[in-house]
Amino acid sequence: MYILFGVWGRLASLPRPGSSEELFEVSLWPNQTLVEFGQPLMVNCSTTCPEPGPGGIETLLKKTQVDKGPQWKEFLLEDVTENSVLQCFFSCAGIQKDTSLGITVYKPPERVILELQPAWVAVDEAFTVKCHVPSVAPLENLTLTLLQGNQELHRKNFLNLALASQRAEVTISVRAKRENDRCNFSCHAELDLSSQGGGLLNGSSAIKVLRIFEFSESPQIWGSSLLEVGVAETVSCELAGVFPAGEVTFHMFLGDQELNPFLSWEGDTAWANATIRAMETGALELSCLVALGLMEQKTRQPVHVYSFPPPVLEIEDSYPLAGTDVNVTCSGHVLSSPSPTIRLQGATDLPAPGDPAWLLLTAREEDDGRNFSCEAFLEVQGRQLIKTAVTQLHVFYEPRLEESSCPSNQTWVEGMEQVLACVPKGNPTPALVCTWNGIIFDPEVPQKAAKNHTGIYCCTATNKLGSVSKDIAIVVEGLEEGISSSIFLIIIAALGVGVITIALYLNYGPCKIKRRRLRYRPKEGKEEESQLAAQQAEKCSPRNC
């Protein structure tokens, strides 16, 4: 249309050579135009001709004349979405002139998208860093820069690309290393419009964090394949050669029951400890699922649950009197399956599986405190299991005051702290009461020895089975007596003790060793024993002898 209009104008009025109208000019404002995609543009087409003829603009864009003057016209270009060339023309005295304006449409890099593929990468494997800008123009003014932290990995511009292959993207491949773990990756886009009279337009992607892992081995379950019903056991699931070990997750199950493991890690090894307790016998499966990032592995171990309580060990009478017969039996627990084999300590015969073992013995004093043990043997899944029961025998016997523990003759040193040495034997443990000159005193309380402590002391030991009394001669030696005369003093002391003993015997009557059997009362308290011992001791005092 513009070409036909120009030809018509030139034929309609041929100018006269040398006229002043040939000197007019046609101009456009602005003279250099950048328009953001989809935005409007106001242009002014003007001329210097004093009396211009027809004029205006020619463009493929939608235009609207918004104002005019004698030598100019103003137009609004709406919704500019593509690059175009705008022509402004005017005629003057039959001569037409025109000028053109290039319109450049730009799209700022508002959306910059960074992709890491995959997000979790195995050590020494390659991963892809890709950046693209969905809508940006002009592409030849764009530069994309890939960054790892603040370090530039790759830069790309689009000046030399063919139009058909122009895409605002850049892709590189990187081999993963452990030090890349948790690194930040980003992409920066820069649109340089300075050559078109604009400035720099920038855009950046969101930061992506890369995760590096190493997961080369399978998890291992550590724990017994045999589990006793109702008994708590600790099992472990371990994964070695893993990175980062601190981020490994464990899920452990016993059958359908999920466990609550406690997680730990050190170096390149992670593990989980859990407590398991089965309440029913039978076959179960212990499983462990280990996960790190997108990787996971599962391992399983069969578990057999058995019931094997300790054997039942019984003594017919755990507190027999010395000289009485005692029957000891041991049998397998009714909950054991199959029936175990029993072995009783001291029994000569080994019974058949399921049969009890027994032992008959006569209780002696030396059997007091004797332990009896019974072992039960059960084979489960090819393994020999042993359970043991232990019980103790207590033999009751009358009190005794033996010379080894309660000497008849004792020597004290004058001025020294001394105690009467007398420890009775018997079961139950006898109560001991000692008298001197008719006065009851505690033989365990130290006394400062004096010459007047020389004399005959009477001690009585009593328990539920009887009592026994004994005279003890005490001689107090002076400190001034030398070692050289010690033998002589011992002889004199012995003679003196003999004389004193005879004198006491002739004057007061001897306090003889007496025994009195009491009716066996196994449930009476020690207070009664002490009272009984005191009564026996009074009978041994010089006033009562």
Side-chain angles (χ1 to χ4, degrees), residues 60-299:
L60 296 177
L61 300 173
K62 182 180 180 181
K63 64 182 180 181
T64 302
Q65 182 175 318
V66 295
D67 203 357
K68 67 178 180 177
Q71 295 174 295
W72 57 273
K73 292 182 180 180
E74 192 172 51
F75 297 88
L76 176 65
L77 305 180
E78 301 177 14
D79 192 22
V80 180
T81 58
E82 59 183 14
N83 295 341
S84 62
V85 177
L86 178 68
Q87 289 184 326
C88 169
F89 67 92
F90 270 101
S91 63
C92 184
I95 298 175
Q96 180 173 307
K97 286 186 177 182
D98 60 60
T99 185
S100 62
L101 172 66
I103 298 177
T104 301
V105 176
Y106 72 91
K107 297 180 182 180
E110 295 179 344
R111 293 181 60 208
V112 182
I113 301 173
L114 179 72
E115 297 178 3
L116 288 178
Q117 299 175 349
W120 282 77
V121 188
V123 174
D124 293 331
E125 296 293 329
F127 64 96
T128 299
V129 185
K130 178 181 179 181
C131 177
H132 65 98
V133 184
S135 179
V136 63
L139 192 59
E140 60 271 18
N141 296 71
L142 178 67
T143 301
L144 294 180
T145 305
L146 295 176
L147 300 172
Q148 179 178 331
N150 296 322
Q151 179 184 358
E152 182 178 310
L153 287 178
H154 186 74
R155 179 186 292 266
K156 179 181 180 181
N157 58 51
F158 300 86
L159 295 175
N160 301 321
L161 294 179
L163 292 177
S165 62
Q166 284 185 350
R167 297 182 62 185
E169 69 178 36
V170 58
T171 303
I172 63 171
S173 181
V174 183
R175 189 164 298 277
K177 300 179 180 179
R178 282 196 177 190
E179 52 266 31
N180 296 137
D181 185 44
R182 295 185 181 275
C183 282
N184 295 334
F185 288 83
S186 60
C187 178
H188 181 72
E190 182 181 85
L191 187 64
D192 187 0
L193 301 176
S194 58
S195 61
Q196 285 92 355
L200 293 175
L201 301 178
N202 298 291
S204 295
S205 69
I207 294 176
K208 297 283 187 178
V209 179
L210 181 69
R211 299 309 315 272
I212 307 297
F213 73 93
E214 191 169 3
F215 199 152
S216 57
E217 299 184 20
S218 298
Q220 301 291 326
I221 293 179
W222 303 102
S224 176
S225 59
L226 290 180
L227 183 63
E228 187 173 358
V229 65
V231 177
E233 295 282 351
T234 299
V235 294
S236 298
C237 183
E238 181 180 294
L239 181 63
V242 62
F243 173 84
E247 297 188 31
V248 176
T249 60
F250 290 83
H251 298 277
M252 300 179 69
F253 297 86
L254 179 62
D256 296 331
Q257 176 190 359
E258 184 170 6
L259 307 178
N260 185 24
F262 176 77
L263 309 185
S264 304
W265 65 275
E266 182 177 355
D268 288 350
T269 301
W271 64 90
N273 295 327
T275 300
I276 58 176
R277 188 194 305 267
M279 305 311 296
E280 295 182 0
T281 59
L284 291 175
E285 181 182 79
L286 179 63
S287 61
C288 177
L289 175 66
V290 182
L292 177 63
L294 303 178
M295 292 288 296
E296 62 179 33
Q297 289 191 28
K298 188 174 186 179
T299 186

